[in-house]
Amino acid sequence: GSREKVFDEVFLTSSSGRTVAIQGLNPILPGHTVVFPQPPVQRIAELSDEAWLDLGTHGRSAQQRLRDGGSGTAFNWALKDGKAAGQPANTVCLHVVARRPGDLERND
């Protein structure tokens, strides 16, 4: 059978192989990047200290790459821990959202 495309682009992969960042997974704004641990885990508590550090480090690397590419002048980070938190996949994920002045009509 056919397989639905889950994401558009692998944006960044850590040299350790513990983290991958993708784009195109239900983005709320251009440059919205989602960073996942490898292998996937459902909860933050399941991450080793090394995997937790890798997730944050590569979130920061993704943000820098977005900034350098002109995707945003500011950023929101959202960490989704558990299905009820709105995980787009069955894993902990860090959303790095590139922001620009006026990009959303209503901004918190």
Side-chain angles (χ1 to χ4, degrees), residues 1-102:
S2 68
R3 205 169 160 195
E4 185 178 333
K5 190 175 185 181
V6 176
F7 57 86
D8 290 337
E9 177 186 343
V10 173
F11 185 67
L12 182 69
T13 302
S14 69
S15 59
S16 69
R18 284 192 287 255
T19 309
V20 64
I22 62 170
Q23 293 183 324
L25 183 63
N26 299 319
I28 61 170
L29 289 168
H32 180 168
T33 302
V34 184
V35 185
F36 296 96
Q38 295 295 311
V41 298
Q42 292 183 6
R43 305 306 301 259
I44 291 170
E46 297 172 40
L47 290 170
S48 67
D49 290 344
E50 294 82 12
W52 174 244
L53 180 60
D54 205 63
L55 186 71
T57 298
H58 285 85
R60 187 174 58 194
S61 295
Q63 177 177 311
Q64 185 63 48
R65 187 167 167 190
L66 289 164
R67 181 182 300 126
D68 291 349
S71 293
T73 58
F75 296 85
N76 289 120
W77 283 37
L79 186 62
K80 298 196 176 186
D81 181 28
K83 186 174 180 117
Q87 291 175 337
N90 197 23
T91 184
V92 166
C93 52
L94 172 63
H95 293 251
V96 180
V97 182
R99 302 295 308 273
R100 294 183 168 280

